[in-house]
Amino acid sequence: MGSKLEGDVYYPSEEVINQANVKNYDDLYKRSIEDREGFWAEQAEELDWYKKWDKVLDDSNKPFYKWYTGGKTNIIQNAIDRHLRTWRRNKLALIWEGEPGDVATYSYHALNREVSKFSNVLKSMGVQKGDIVTIYMPQIPELVIAMLACAKIGAAHSVVYGGFSVEALAERIEDAKSRVLVTADGGYRRGKPTQLKSIANDAMKRSPNIEVCICVKRTGEECYMENDRDFWYHDLMGLPIASANCETEQTDAEDMLFILYTSGTTGRPKGQVHTHGGYSVYTSTTHRMVFDIKDEDRWWCAADPGWITGHSYIVYAPLINGSTVMMYEGAPNHPYPSRWWQMVEKYGITILYTSPTAIRGLMRFGDAWPKRHDISSLRLLGSVGEPINPEAWKWYHKIIGNEKCPIMDTWWQTETGGFMITPLPVTPLKPGSATKPFFGNEVGVVNDEGKEAKAGEEGKLVIKNPWPGMARTILNDEERYVNTYWKNYEKQGWYEAGDSARIDKDGYIWVIGRIDDVIKVSGYRLGTAEIESALVSHASVSEAAAIALPHELKGNAIHTFVILKAGETESKELAEDLRNHVASEMGPIAKPETVKFVDGLPKTRSGKIMRRVLKARALGQDEGDLSTLEE
Ligand code: WTA
């Protein structure tokens, strides 16, 4: 790579280059584009298969691409089973620390035992291949065990983030038609127990599909258990049915591994469908190459397993790569802002992968907290979830990385399964840029007609090719899958990401943010539609609109506009009540920053709320093209 890059550039050290798993990005990139299928066949060879694939890519029914068709595998075959036959059997798979300070560790051997036992429990409850089990849990090892157990028996999991609340959970249970729910009495957050089971109870009232609810006792707080429906996890795990022997189901490469809901522009959340084969290959390859994974590493992805980052990079990719995974239950600053740094020191963490929001939040407390701990074990850092502002990047690089750890700013989505745009450790870095496409991917920034933007010009981010980790469809809604991602650039056959971006003269990609009605709050993905329908479900509200406005710590914050029903009067108390109502329906992360009472909302003639106009007004900016605005 040349040394004439423009702007603020950080070059990798000799040491980083010498130890890198991939030393030359440009050569391998070129090869991966010229022979995409060859590249992905080679990566798939790194894994075990019960039966090899007949075809790497089946593109006979675009955009419903299939990968490794004819192949037989199960993600568990690679994430657990193959390690049991090597020295890794006794390697730590998982180190877990609870917020109160309790610790649990699992070797691959122990993880296999727990997963096998719970697989048998699920089977005894009638769970079969193809069923979707909903999981609603705090960040505890049993969450990982439940996910892996579903995969092992060929059932799919649908994990609902533990910070979501009643309506969000009920809606997801209903869409997935889950019969079985795995949950816990609660977890710990900022020193206080959360109440998951009572939220689950309310959700089960709203969507009565659930026949069996398995509950982990975490906090010991009292909670209502319904006879013949609700069972304690530890009771079931102690029964003879919970035998530690369980065959891994041999699934087809294209069999469903999990669904994970993302919030959309309108209506119900979208259940993104991921499959065993392609997802195994894509997540493990990206993890191994981008984070330069070695057997000695202690990997900490400080996300929640309830989001895609946790699925791909706490659970599946690191286990496939035989890594030791760190997982922590609670808040980064509890009881002190040094909690994370204390754990980095205590466990000798070598790679830390987190979000800009977390970095900004910890930066606020100053340098003294990380400096109190020896965090020199770190060799690589990562960022995900939203664009990272250069100021936070530089703090992360200097104070946490001691100026020696490259920062992997990885751009990707629930839909993509794994990293799409990302540096490698050997890539010269520019703070705030996710840099270059990962192998096999061609990325474009284009206008509405598909014409490439000029260097530095803003446009829509598209991916021009299929990749093994891509979501295969939206559960029960193929049409929506096509319309959301593939319609606008149908002619070209490109995937539209829903983000805006620009590419600079050096070919570095700078992601700007969402252009649709998705809001990223603290890196968490929420839909305006869900927030609005939570508001409208309140007895006083007739119509509502939600927009995102920039926020120093959270990246974006939710601001709402509400039209009251006739006869209702606006007041401070009602605004507060509405904010709390959204929090109790959706979850605390969705609680709006402000509620503003208005008489009308800007709409198109077809009745769609023009959030863009609301946003421009709130920011005092030009309102842009108003030709479609209703009189
Ligand atoms: C945003 C999270 C800038 C982006 C893995 C994307 C990012 C959305 C980055 C997907 C990054 C994610 N730089 N923006 N490095 N990573 N995003 O589905 O807007 O929760 O479309 O997946 O997060 O969010 P999701």
Side-chain angles (χ1 to χ4, degrees):
M1 280 178 218
S3 55
K4 300 177 298 292
L5 298 175
E6 270 186 8
D8 198 4
V9 185
Y10 290 66
Y11 291 91
S13 65
E14 286 289 312
E15 193 189 346
V16 166
I17 296 171
N18 287 339
Q19 70 185 8
N21 287 348
V22 181
K23 293 204 175 12
N24 188 323
Y25 168 81
D26 292 335
D27 290 354
L28 189 56
Y29 181 72
K30 189 157 172 280
R31 242 217 64 216
S32 75
I33 297 301
E34 285 166 1
D35 180 15
R36 181 171 293 121
E37 289 176 47
F39 175 79
W40 285 118
E42 217 167 89
Q43 302 316 316
E45 294 284 353
E46 299 273 325
L47 302 184
D48 282 3
W49 296 77
Y50 299 118
K51 176 179 169 286
K52 284 266 165 74
W53 55 92
D54 301 322
K55 216 166 163 11
V56 175
L57 171 64
D58 173 358
D59 58 2
S60 58
N61 183 24
K62 292 175 191 170
F64 299 97
Y65 296 94
K66 291 180 174 164
W67 287 84
Y68 308 108
T69 48
K72 280 209 170 278
T73 182
N74 181 312
I75 204 161
I76 298 302
Q77 178 189 18
N78 287 294
I80 299 180
D81 299 352
R82 66 168 175 167
H83 303 314
L84 303 178
R85 297 188 294 270
T86 70
W87 65 270
R88 288 197 191 94
R89 182 183 188 86
N90 295 323
K91 179 178 175 176
L92 283 186
L94 182 64
I95 303 172
W96 174 82
E97 187 167 311
E99 201 190 68
D102 44 339
V103 176
T105 56
Y106 297 79
S107 63
Y108 277 89
H109 170 77
L111 187 64
N112 177 57
R113 183 188 62 231
E114 297 306 309
V115 169
S116 296
K117 284 171 65 100
F118 197 58
S119 294
N120 283 322
V121 167
L122 289 174
K123 279 188 180 172
S124 76
M125 295 294 179
V127 177
Q128 288 176 357
K129 191 173 169 206
D131 289 352
I132 303 172
V133 174
T134 297
I135 300 177
Y136 178 64
M137 284 170 98
Q139 294 195 52
I140 55 176
E142 288 82 357
L143 166 55
V144 177
I145 291 164
M147 290 167 73
L148 296 170
C150 290
K152 188 174 172 75
I153 62 174
H157 53 72
S158 164
V159 178
V160 178
Y161 168 56
F164 273 142
S165 194
V166 185
E167 183 54 24
L169 175 60
E171 203 171 38
R172 285 159 177 76
I173 289 174
E174 194 125 312
D175 189 73
K177 299 186 181 69
S178 283
R179 268 185 59 244
V180 175
L181 172 68
V182 187
T183 186
D185 51 358
Y188 290 98
R189 193 76 192 173
R190 281 178 222 293
K192 282 201 292 263
T194 58
Q195 306 287 336
L196 288 190
K197 181 62 165 66
S198 60
I199 293 174
N201 286 341
D202 287 347
M204 285 188 279
K205 267 189 217 139
R206 289 193 201 181
S207 73
N209 311 34
I210 300 293
E211 292 164 22
V212 174
C213 173
I214 302 173
C215 187
V216 175
K217 193 173 265 181
R218 163 74 183 128
T219 62
E221 298 274 304
E222 207 168 315
C223 58
Y224 170 74
M225 297 285 282
E226 186 162 302
N227 260 345
D228 299 332
R229 182 194 69 189
D230 299 351
F231 302 86
W232 289 110
Y233 178 93
H234 61 263
D235 284 345
L236 298 173
M237 292 290 267
L239 296 175
I241 44 142
S243 126
N245 294 315
C246 179
E247 279 287 317
T248 302
E249 177 80 22
Q250 302 197 3
T251 52
D252 288 336
E254 282 292 312
D255 278 344
M256 181 159 73
L257 168 64
F258 66 82
I259 57 169
L260 187 58
Y261 285 93
T262 58
S263 303
T265 309
T266 49
R268 307 170 77 85
K270 304 184 287 250
Q272 305 288 343
V273 175
H274 284 283
T275 57
H276 277 266
Y279 180 83
S280 296
V281 176
Y282 198 77
T283 55
S284 60
T285 305
T286 48
H287 182 242
R288 187 177 75 244
M289 292 183 171
V290 173
F291 282 103
D292 197 40
I293 296 302
K294 318 276 190 228
D295 253 318
E296 309 81 80
D297 278 317
R298 288 208 157 166
W299 162 257
W300 186 8
C301 166
D304 190 293
W307 298 87
I308 192 68
T309 308
H311 279 55
S312 298
Y313 298 107
I314 294 178
V315 182
Y316 290 113
L319 293 181
I320 294 173
N321 288 330
S323 306
T324 297
V325 175
M326 166 73 198
M327 186 171 149
Y328 166 60
E329 177 186 31
N333 53 359
H334 188 87
Y336 302 109
S338 57
R339 183 67 190 264
W340 275 17
W341 318 127
Q342 190 189 345
M343 286 187 288
V344 168
E345 175 173 8
K346 179 173 171 192
Y347 299 110
I349 302 298
T350 58
I351 312 174
L352 175 66
Y353 181 42
T354 183
S355 66
T357 287
I359 297 160
R360 286 192 294 264
L362 291 165
M363 182 169 91
R364 192 173 50 140
F365 296 109
D367 305 353
W369 294 99
K371 292 213 159 126
R372 212 166 278 178
H373 293 277
D374 177 4
I375 54 173
S376 60
S377 56
L378 290 170
R379 69 179 187 93
L380 272 176
L381 300 172
S383 173
V384 60
E386 53 182 320
I388 180 165
N389 46 313
E391 193 199 350
W393 194 101
K394 285 178 189 166
W395 183 82
Y396 196 29
H397 187 259
K398 182 165 177 218
I399 304 300
I400 306 307
N402 194 21
E403 298 185 329
K404 71 174 176 116
C405 306
I407 298 174
M408 303 296 103
D409 179 356
T410 60
W411 178 90
W412 58 295
Q413 309 177 295
T414 308
E415 293 87 340
T416 71
F419 312 149
M420 298 301 286
I421 305 172
T422 173
L424 299 176
V426 297
T427 308
L429 303 172
K430 299 188 187 190
S433 169
T435 76
K436 303 283 183 89
F438 186 72
F439 302 116
N441 294 331
E442 290 170 276
V443 172
V445 169
V446 300
N447 68 10
D448 286 339
E449 284 73 51
K451 201 170 149 273
E452 300 287 336
K454 291 198 199 79
E457 218 175 72
E458 189 173 334
K460 294 183 170 170
L461 186 68
V462 295
I463 314 290
K464 300 182 171 177
N465 53 270
W467 63 99
M470 66 202 301
R472 298 302 193 261
T473 187
I474 292 172
L475 188 75
N476 310 323
D477 206 344
E478 294 198 332
E479 199 182 315
R480 198 166 172 206
Y481 175 73
V482 175
N483 289 340
T484 311
Y485 306 109
W486 303 94
K487 195 86 193 168
N488 286 348
Y489 299 104
E490 196 176 6
K491 234 179 31 223
Q492 296 90 343
W494 295 342
Y495 168 87
E496 187 182 0
D499 279 17
S500 65
R502 51 196 176 78
I503 303 185
D504 71 15
K505 287 201 181 94
D506 299 319
Y508 276 56
I509 301 158
W510 300 73
V511 175
I512 299 163
R514 299 294 305 187
I515 36 185
D516 55 5
D517 296 320
V518 168
I519 303 184
K520 279 283 186 149
V521 185
S522 302
Y524 294 122
R525 180 167 166 175
L526 298 169
T528 51
E530 280 184 288
I531 300 160
E532 288 160 5
S533 70
L535 281 167
V536 174
S537 74
H538 189 282
S540 311
V541 176
S542 143
E543 271 191 84
I547 60 166
L549 295 177
H551 185 280
E552 208 182 320
L553 278 181
K554 301 176 181 172
N556 293 293
I558 301 165
H559 294 265
T560 60
F561 301 84
V562 166
I563 304 177
L564 291 177
K565 283 187 182 152
E568 299 286 341
T569 24
E570 50 189 77
S571 68
K572 260 204 176 127
E573 292 70 36
L574 181 57
E576 196 49 31
D577 189 33
L578 291 175
R579 292 177 65 225
N580 290 330
H581 178 71
V582 175
S584 78
E585 288 292 302
M586 282 288 298
I589 46 162
K591 188 171 180 173
E593 207 78 358
T594 61
V595 173
K596 196 169 170 186
F597 298 106
V598 292
D599 297 327
L601 291 167
K603 285 186 190 164
T604 61
R605 279 180 214 107
S606 58
K608 267 175 72 179
I609 297 170
M610 294 179 83
R611 297 187 185 82
R612 166 177 75 76
V613 173
L614 286 170
K615 188 167 175 173
R617 280 182 197 162
L619 294 171
Q621 291 170 346
D622 179 20
E623 294 177 10
D625 179 9
L626 294 179
S627 58
T628 57
L629 190 69
E630 184 189 45
E631 285 300 301

PDB file of all heavy atoms in Angstrom, residues 591-604:
ATOM      1  N   LYS A 591     -37.135   5.068  25.162  1.00  0.00           N
ATOM      2  CA  LYS A 591     -37.785   6.201  25.834  1.00  0.00           C
ATOM      3  C   LYS A 591     -37.407   7.512  25.141  1.00  0.00           C
ATOM      4  O   LYS A 591     -36.234   7.852  25.028  1.00  0.00           O
ATOM      5  CB  LYS A 591     -37.323   6.239  27.297  1.00  0.00           C
ATOM      6  CG  LYS A 591     -38.067   7.234  28.152  1.00  0.00           C
ATOM      7  CD  LYS A 591     -37.690   7.015  29.618  1.00  0.00           C
ATOM      8  CE  LYS A 591     -38.426   8.003  30.502  1.00  0.00           C
ATOM      9  NZ  LYS A 591     -38.204   7.695  31.923  1.00  0.00           N
ATOM     10  N   PRO A 592     -38.418   8.259  24.651  1.00  0.00           N
ATOM     11  CA  PRO A 592     -38.083   9.477  23.911  1.00  0.00           C
ATOM     12  C   PRO A 592     -37.437  10.532  24.805  1.00  0.00           C
ATOM     13  O   PRO A 592     -37.776  10.641  25.982  1.00  0.00           O
ATOM     14  CB  PRO A 592     -39.445   9.977  23.414  1.00  0.00           C
ATOM     15  CG  PRO A 592     -40.384   8.842  23.566  1.00  0.00           C
ATOM     16  CD  PRO A 592     -39.864   7.997  24.681  1.00  0.00           C
ATOM     17  N   GLU A 593     -36.550  11.289  24.212  1.00  0.00           N
ATOM     18  CA  GLU A 593     -35.904  12.408  24.891  1.00  0.00           C
ATOM     19  C   GLU A 593     -36.941  13.513  25.140  1.00  0.00           C
ATOM     20  O   GLU A 593     -37.004  14.086  26.215  1.00  0.00           O
ATOM     21  CB  GLU A 593     -34.805  12.930  23.957  1.00  0.00           C
ATOM     22  CG  GLU A 593     -33.660  13.586  24.635  1.00  0.00           C
ATOM     23  CD  GLU A 593     -32.673  12.588  25.249  1.00  0.00           C
ATOM     24  OE1 GLU A 593     -32.903  11.357  25.177  1.00  0.00           O
ATOM     25  OE2 GLU A 593     -31.700  13.060  25.824  1.00  0.00           O
ATOM     26  N   THR A 594     -37.740  13.789  24.113  1.00  0.00           N
ATOM     27  CA  THR A 594     -38.761  14.834  24.250  1.00  0.00           C
ATOM     28  C   THR A 594     -40.076  14.375  23.629  1.00  0.00           C
ATOM     29  O   THR A 594     -40.094  13.546  22.722  1.00  0.00           O
ATOM     30  CB  THR A 594     -38.351  16.127  23.516  1.00  0.00           C
ATOM     31  OG1 THR A 594     -38.211  15.835  22.120  1.00  0.00           O
ATOM     32  CG2 THR A 594     -37.058  16.713  24.049  1.00  0.00           C
ATOM     33  N   VAL A 595     -41.168  14.926  24.164  1.00  0.00           N
ATOM     34  CA  VAL A 595     -42.485  14.759  23.555  1.00  0.00           C
ATOM     35  C   VAL A 595     -43.008  16.165  23.310  1.00  0.00           C
ATOM     36  O   VAL A 595     -43.121  16.956  24.246  1.00  0.00           O
ATOM     37  CB  VAL A 595     -43.449  14.013  24.498  1.00  0.00           C
ATOM     38  CG1 VAL A 595     -44.856  14.008  23.913  1.00  0.00           C
ATOM     39  CG2 VAL A 595     -42.973  12.592  24.735  1.00  0.00           C
ATOM     40  N   LYS A 596     -43.290  16.467  22.056  1.00  0.00           N
ATOM     41  CA  LYS A 596     -43.795  17.805  21.749  1.00  0.00           C
ATOM     42  C   LYS A 596     -45.220  17.660  21.235  1.00  0.00           C
ATOM     43  O   LYS A 596     -45.481  16.839  20.358  1.00  0.00           O
ATOM     44  CB  LYS A 596     -42.892  18.413  20.668  1.00  0.00           C
ATOM     45  CG  LYS A 596     -43.041  19.889  20.535  1.00  0.00           C
ATOM     46  CD  LYS A 596     -41.939  20.444  19.656  1.00  0.00           C
ATOM     47  CE  LYS A 596     -42.257  21.895  19.342  1.00  0.00           C
ATOM     48  NZ  LYS A 596     -41.322  22.456  18.390  1.00  0.00           N
ATOM     49  N   PHE A 597     -46.140  18.459  21.800  1.00  0.00           N
ATOM     50  CA  PHE A 597     -47.532  18.391  21.340  1.00  0.00           C
ATOM     51  C   PHE A 597     -47.713  19.314  20.140  1.00  0.00           C
ATOM     52  O   PHE A 597     -47.290  20.467  20.176  1.00  0.00           O
ATOM     53  CB  PHE A 597     -48.480  18.784  22.475  1.00  0.00           C
ATOM     54  CG  PHE A 597     -48.386  17.853  23.650  1.00  0.00           C
ATOM     55  CD1 PHE A 597     -47.755  18.244  24.829  1.00  0.00           C
ATOM     56  CD2 PHE A 597     -48.903  16.566  23.566  1.00  0.00           C
ATOM     57  CE1 PHE A 597     -47.647  17.375  25.903  1.00  0.00           C
ATOM     58  CE2 PHE A 597     -48.805  15.690  24.641  1.00  0.00           C
ATOM     59  CZ  PHE A 597     -48.170  16.097  25.805  1.00  0.00           C
ATOM     60  N   VAL A 598     -48.308  18.774  19.086  1.00  0.00           N
ATOM     61  CA  VAL A 598     -48.513  19.577  17.867  1.00  0.00           C
ATOM     62  C   VAL A 598     -49.957  19.401  17.382  1.00  0.00           C
ATOM     63  O   VAL A 598     -50.660  18.472  17.786  1.00  0.00           O
ATOM     64  CB  VAL A 598     -47.534  19.150  16.734  1.00  0.00           C
ATOM     65  CG1 VAL A 598     -46.111  19.514  17.077  1.00  0.00           C
ATOM     66  CG2 VAL A 598     -47.649  17.655  16.451  1.00  0.00           C
ATOM     67  N   ASP A 599     -50.379  20.327  16.494  1.00  0.00           N
ATOM     68  CA  ASP A 599     -51.740  20.252  15.939  1.00  0.00           C
ATOM     69  C   ASP A 599     -51.781  19.445  14.648  1.00  0.00           C
ATOM     70  O   ASP A 599     -52.826  18.947  14.244  1.00  0.00           O
ATOM     71  CB  ASP A 599     -52.279  21.654  15.653  1.00  0.00           C
ATOM     72  CG  ASP A 599     -52.396  22.464  16.936  1.00  0.00           C
ATOM     73  OD1 ASP A 599     -52.688  21.847  17.983  1.00  0.00           O
ATOM     74  OD2 ASP A 599     -52.153  23.687  16.897  1.00  0.00           O
ATOM     75  N   GLY A 600     -50.644  19.372  13.970  1.00  0.00           N
ATOM     76  CA  GLY A 600     -50.611  18.627  12.713  1.00  0.00           C
ATOM     77  C   GLY A 600     -49.206  18.125  12.445  1.00  0.00           C
ATOM     78  O   GLY A 600     -48.251  18.517  13.126  1.00  0.00           O
ATOM     79  N   LEU A 601     -49.069  17.201  11.484  1.00  0.00           N
ATOM     80  CA  LEU A 601     -47.751  16.676  11.104  1.00  0.00           C
ATOM     81  C   LEU A 601     -47.581  16.845   9.598  1.00  0.00           C
ATOM     82  O   LEU A 601     -48.550  16.685   8.849  1.00  0.00           O
ATOM     83  CB  LEU A 601     -47.656  15.185  11.460  1.00  0.00           C
ATOM     84  CG  LEU A 601     -47.615  14.837  12.950  1.00  0.00           C
ATOM     85  CD1 LEU A 601     -47.848  13.342  13.157  1.00  0.00           C
ATOM     86  CD2 LEU A 601     -46.272  15.243  13.555  1.00  0.00           C
ATOM     87  N   PRO A 602     -46.375  17.166   9.147  1.00  0.00           N
ATOM     88  CA  PRO A 602     -46.172  17.281   7.703  1.00  0.00           C
ATOM     89  C   PRO A 602     -46.298  15.916   7.037  1.00  0.00           C
ATOM     90  O   PRO A 602     -45.654  14.962   7.465  1.00  0.00           O
ATOM     91  CB  PRO A 602     -44.738  17.820   7.594  1.00  0.00           C
ATOM     92  CG  PRO A 602     -44.078  17.448   8.866  1.00  0.00           C
ATOM     93  CD  PRO A 602     -45.148  17.396   9.908  1.00  0.00           C
ATOM     94  N   LYS A 603     -47.180  15.834   6.028  1.00  0.00           N
ATOM     95  CA  LYS A 603     -47.410  14.546   5.371  1.00  0.00           C
ATOM     96  C   LYS A 603     -47.375  14.689   3.866  1.00  0.00           C
ATOM     97  O   LYS A 603     -47.651  15.759   3.337  1.00  0.00           O
ATOM     98  CB  LYS A 603     -48.794  14.017   5.763  1.00  0.00           C
ATOM     99  CG  LYS A 603     -48.865  13.474   7.163  1.00  0.00           C
ATOM    100  CD  LYS A 603     -50.211  12.849   7.393  1.00  0.00           C
ATOM    101  CE  LYS A 603     -50.385  12.532   8.868  1.00  0.00           C
ATOM    102  NZ  LYS A 603     -51.774  12.294   9.197  1.00  0.00           N
ATOM    103  N   THR A 604     -47.087  13.579   3.225  1.00  0.00           N
ATOM    104  CA  THR A 604     -47.191  13.565   1.769  1.00  0.00           C
ATOM    105  C   THR A 604     -48.669  13.435   1.414  1.00  0.00           C
ATOM    106  O   THR A 604     -49.492  13.101   2.271  1.00  0.00           O
ATOM    107  CB  THR A 604     -46.472  12.349   1.157  1.00  0.00           C
ATOM    108  OG1 THR A 604     -47.102  11.170   1.653  1.00  0.00           O
ATOM    109  CG2 THR A 604     -45.008  12.318   1.534  1.00  0.00           C
TER     110      THR A 604
END
